[in-house]
Amino acid sequence: MTVLFLRLATLSAMLPALAACVAVGPDYQTPSTVLPSSWSGQKAAPAKPAQLAQWWKRFNDPVLDNLIEQAVANNNDVVNAKAKIREARASVQQAGGALYPTLDGNGSAQRSKASGGGEGTSLSAGLNTSWEIDLFGANYRAVEAARYGLDAEQENMHAILVTMIGDIASNYADLRGLQARIALTERTVASQRKTAELTRTRFNAGDISEVDLAKAEGETSSTEAQIPELKTAYAKSLHRLSVLTGQAPTALTSLLTKPKAVPNVPAIVTAGIPADLLLNRPDLRVAERGYARTTATIGQRQAALYPGISLTGSISTAGAQIGDLGKSSSIGWGIGPSLSVPIFKGGQLNAAVDMAKASRDQAFINYRKTILTALEEVENASVSLNQRRIQYAKTQKAVKSFRRATDLSRDLYTNGSSSFLDWLTAERSLYSNEGNLIQLKVSLMQDYINLHKALGGGWNGTINADKPEIQDGYTGPHLIKAFPAKV
């Protein structure tokens, strides 16, 4: 039997040398893309590269840093992307297996009894090998397409990280902004209650009409009625952050309950040049790998139009005893090629090629569209951030002015030199503008976040995609104790 195995192993090893490295179909070329030389708002001086590594740490907020680290480790979309990478790796290995011969073994033992009473034993063993020669590169193109698919899944995980980190930071900004607005509303309600008490004192003294008292009490209730809606929005942001970190909706309650200010946005942002997007944005690389994969698929489909050659070989031995199986006289072998030529299939093969070409066109158009969308997102986020800075500065001045007006109106009303309406108007304007200022700071942070998402900023640390989420125990042959219960 040793000789038997050596002969077949030698045959299997020789088969790949018979194939020529030939492939049909287009060879993939990275598309050349013409991009603007600079962003619309950039100065003439050479642009500095975008600073995307851990961009969120410029907010100097350890709580936000902690949330992002938790999300990178536990977010379900990230974990799912890791599983897709493992699946794509297995697909590459599976496609690569078609390039090599296959080897199967068989054996049998049979004991028989003749009608005359005699008994006999017959033993047989054999090995079979087959190899489909990749004469026109169908299997090679399949491996090529699978490798591009693996690249795409790896980049897709990076794209998920970009989106997820942005979502964490954006929801965190909302949460801190809502905490600030709740505190502002509660302070305003407390102030308005004091105003209502003063108004009641003056009403009891006969200095003002009941109209002013009703307005003061109504204004207090109206402002207080906004608190439940703000607390509802706060709870939703809290729940969203918990789920984004891969936890139950209320898991972060203790961590985030203590109010903190909305983080300040850095004064300087570097955006690099548009060409940097091709290197920094993972969604662009996903689209480009999709284009590459569909290009390889064309060759795979086109190879089916050409003849196919397969080689098969077999070695068998038979005997009445185990010792007979290894004797030369009991060994038989055979090897031979087979040829298949596509003659008529009703246009199916050509149609498959046309479909693959159409898929490639769609992938290329998607790549081109993704580039334009990326350019648009950066331009929009940049304009929004710059204009929001101006709006925030103007609103700061407005708040300062309305605060002064409110103080003066209170003093004049207390001294009886001004009407209650003047004070009420000043208080409303102050409360409205202070609320706007908080929301503008949130929006300013979100514009900063959106710009870095648009530039492709994400996690630049190591992500290990090798470990399965579900760890199986022993999965070899074993008895099944019972059928699974019905759901």
Side-chain angles (χ1 to χ4, degrees), residues 133 141 242 260 355 395 401 430 482:
I133 300 177
R141 293 298 192 192
S242 298
K260 287 188 66 174
M355 289 171 63
T395 305
S401 297
L430 176 60

Side-chain angles (χ1 to χ4, degrees), residues 113 128 222 270:
K113 182 176 182 180
N128 300 308
S222 177
T270 56

Side-chain angles (χ1 to χ4, degrees), residues 237-443:
S237 294
L238 173 65
H239 300 161
R240 184 91 287 268
L241 283 169
S242 298
V243 172
L244 284 172
T245 58
Q247 302 177 78
T250 58
L252 297 175
T253 302
S254 59
L255 177 65
L256 298 174
T257 295
K258 184 179 180 180
K260 287 188 66 174
V262 179
N264 294 318
V265 173
I268 299 176
V269 179
T270 56
I273 59 175
D276 293 340
L277 293 182
L278 299 178
L279 299 175
N280 296 332
R281 291 245 330 200
D283 60 331
L284 296 187
R285 298 194 293 272
V286 170
E288 184 269 334
R289 293 288 86 180
Y291 173 46
R293 183 181 58 79
T294 53
T295 301
T297 303
I298 294 174
Q300 187 181 2
R301 299 290 181 264
Q302 196 168 336
L305 297 170
Y306 294 85
I309 297 178
S310 298
L311 293 178
T312 58
S314 64
I315 296 177
S316 61
T317 180
Q321 299 179 7
I322 294 179
D324 296 336
L325 297 179
K327 294 181 179 179
S328 299
S329 59
S330 67
I331 298 175
W333 62 274
I335 184 173
S338 63
L339 176 68
S340 63
V341 181
I343 297 176
F344 178 75
K345 291 194 175 182
Q348 296 179 59
L349 301 181
N350 284 317
V353 174
D354 291 341
M355 289 171 63
K357 288 181 177 180
S359 294
R360 178 185 60 176
D361 283 353
Q362 295 173 54
F364 176 71
I365 293 168
N366 179 62
Y367 175 61
R368 188 170 62 192
K369 177 183 176 181
T370 306
I371 291 176
L372 294 178
T373 300
L375 293 171
E376 180 186 18
E377 288 175 352
V378 174
E379 292 286 7
N380 288 346
S382 181
V383 170
S384 184
L385 178 61
N386 292 333
Q387 295 302 313
R388 197 85 66 186
R389 289 187 193 275
I390 298 172
Q391 188 180 10
Y392 183 77
K394 297 294 184 183
T395 305
Q396 279 182 312
K397 292 181 179 180
V399 168
K400 185 177 180 181
S401 297
F402 281 118
R403 186 172 290 124
R404 176 63 176 161
T406 300
D407 292 341
L408 292 173
S409 297
R410 182 189 300 111
D411 292 341
L412 291 172
Y413 176 70
T414 303
N415 296 328
S417 303
S418 176
S419 69
F420 176 74
L421 182 59
D422 291 338
W423 186 8
L424 181 61
T425 302
E427 258 196 344
R428 283 178 178 174
S429 299
L430 176 60
Y431 173 65
S432 175
N433 279 271
E434 283 183 325
N436 288 341
L437 188 64
I438 293 171
Q439 188 55 48
L440 282 171
K441 192 172 185 181
V442 171
S443 299

Side-chain angles (χ1 to χ4, degrees), residues 450-465:
N450 290 336
L451 178 57
H452 282 80
K453 284 174 60 179
L455 292 171
W459 185 262
N460 61 334
T462 302
I463 300 290
N464 184 6

Side-chain angles (χ1 to χ4, degrees), residues 46-62:
K48 295 181 180 180
Q51 298 177 357
L52 302 179
Q54 297 184 324
W55 56 266
W56 56 91
K57 290 199 171 182
R58 298 188 192 101
F59 290 128
N60 296 317
D61 192 319

